[in-house]
Amino acid sequence: MSTSRTELLAWQSELTWALFTHHLDRLEPEDFLREPTALCWTVRQDTDGRWWPDWAETEPDPVPVPTIAWLTWHIGWWWTTATAVVRGARPPERTEIAWPGDGATAVAWMRRLREEWAAALDGLDDAALDAPSAYPWGAEAGLTVGHTAAWVNAELMKNAAEIGQLRLRYAVSR
């Protein structure tokens, strides 16, 4: 392969990001907190003005449909954590990461996280990709930083598709 694994992961990340921006650029402010069903997860403002996600340690059955706000918080949580892990920093706890409070700020957060992730990927060589990584599966899985980077791309694709479907649904109902 003439392209390094890092370059391939970066290319896939950029492709996924380009597809995601199609939806990010078209979101309306009211799309973020719009509840798509009666059974949904969203973010809720506390008395201090911070926005926290609905959460359950054990995934409920059926799984609630998330709002776009919840999905952007979710991306922010795992991407912040994954970037810290790849950089060798202490990853924040889920309970340390609040939603920014409005759609425009959430989109700006997504853009910043993408830049931070691209910079983290840029610093990886084959040896770094082969280093053990417990995130997000745990050490017992025996996986590597390369697996974590591939998972980030897959998770972004999934969350982008979820946001895209909700945005499309909202756009046709306006």
Side-chain angles (χ1 to χ4, degrees), residues 5 9 15 19 28 32 35 39 45 58 61 71 76 96 104 108 127 135 138-139 143 149 154 158 162 172:
R5 291 184 294 155
L9 287 164
L15 173 63
L19 296 170
E28 298 293 333
F32 287 85
E35 296 187 2
L39 178 61
Q45 195 171 27
T58 302
D61 184 17
L71 287 164
E96 296 176 57
Y135 185 78
L143 298 176
K158 178 186 79 72
E162 291 168 324
V172 300

Side-chain angles (χ1 to χ4, degrees), residues 7-113:
E7 290 168 333
L8 183 59
L9 287 164
W11 176 85
Q12 186 184 46
S13 180
E14 288 303 309
L15 173 63
T16 303
W17 179 257
L19 296 170
F20 189 26
T21 59
H22 174 80
H23 297 294
L24 283 180
D25 293 346
R26 290 163 178 80
L27 287 168
E28 298 293 333
E30 65 273 12
D31 292 343
F32 287 85
L33 291 170
R34 187 170 175 182
E35 296 187 2
T37 66
L39 178 61
C40 72
W41 273 353
T42 191
V43 293
R44 300 176 196 284
Q45 195 171 27
D46 69 14
T47 56
D48 295 329
R50 295 191 71 194
W51 292 82
W52 299 104
D54 293 335
W55 188 259
E57 291 303 323
T58 302
E59 191 168 76
D61 184 17
V63 176
V65 177
T67 63
I68 292 174
W70 191 95
L71 287 164
T72 56
W73 164 81
H74 187 246
I75 293 167
W77 167 45
W78 60 252
W79 221 351
T80 298
T81 303
T83 301
V85 166
V86 166
R87 288 181 167 163
R90 181 194 75 81
E93 296 294 326
R94 174 187 53 79
T95 55
E96 296 176 57
I97 300 175
W99 188 66
D102 64 75
T105 308
V107 169
W109 185 32
M110 299 295 99
R111 293 183 194 289
R112 188 182 82 248
L113 289 168

Side-chain angles (χ1 to χ4, degrees), residues 146-158:
H147 289 99
T148 297
W151 172 82
V152 164
N153 290 343
E155 188 71 14
L156 184 60
M157 284 180 229
K158 178 186 79 72

